[in-house]
Amino acid sequence: MVVGSGPAGAAASLFLSTLDVPNIMITKYRWTANTPRAHITNQRAMEIFRDMDIEDQVLADSTPHDLVGDTET
């Protein structure tokens, strides 16, 4: 059982599933967010998405670069 559906919980559930480990992810919320929760995805995250074979889905669902506001580093 994975408790929490944030980045860590969702990643843990995904990794377990790719290893064919039965799992269930639970959260205290009864809905998914209706607004974005991440505005910038770093290079390491994209490497993990590629390893998990979901990079194309992430890119397809992403906001186009010209619609992302300015960010400071």
Side-chain angles (χ1 to χ4, degrees):
M1 178 184 300
V2 178
V3 179
S5 62
S13 185
L14 176 62
F15 292 133
L16 289 169
S17 294
T18 61
L19 296 172
D20 294 325
V21 175
N23 68 88
I24 184 169
M25 180 173 54
I26 63 170
T27 181
K28 65 182 178 179
Y29 304 106
R30 296 187 306 182
W31 60 87
T32 56
N34 62 356
T35 59
R37 294 295 181 252
H39 301 285
I40 298 173
T41 304
N42 67 33
Q43 182 177 352
R44 181 65 182 131
M46 290 305 294
E47 291 170 358
I48 293 169
F49 295 150
R50 189 174 305 117
D51 290 345
M52 298 285 80
D53 201 27
I54 62 170
E55 179 184 25
D56 291 340
Q57 180 181 349
V58 170
L59 291 173
D61 292 337
S62 67
T63 300
H65 189 273
D66 59 325
L67 295 179
V68 177
D70 294 329
T71 59
E72 296 183 26
T73 58

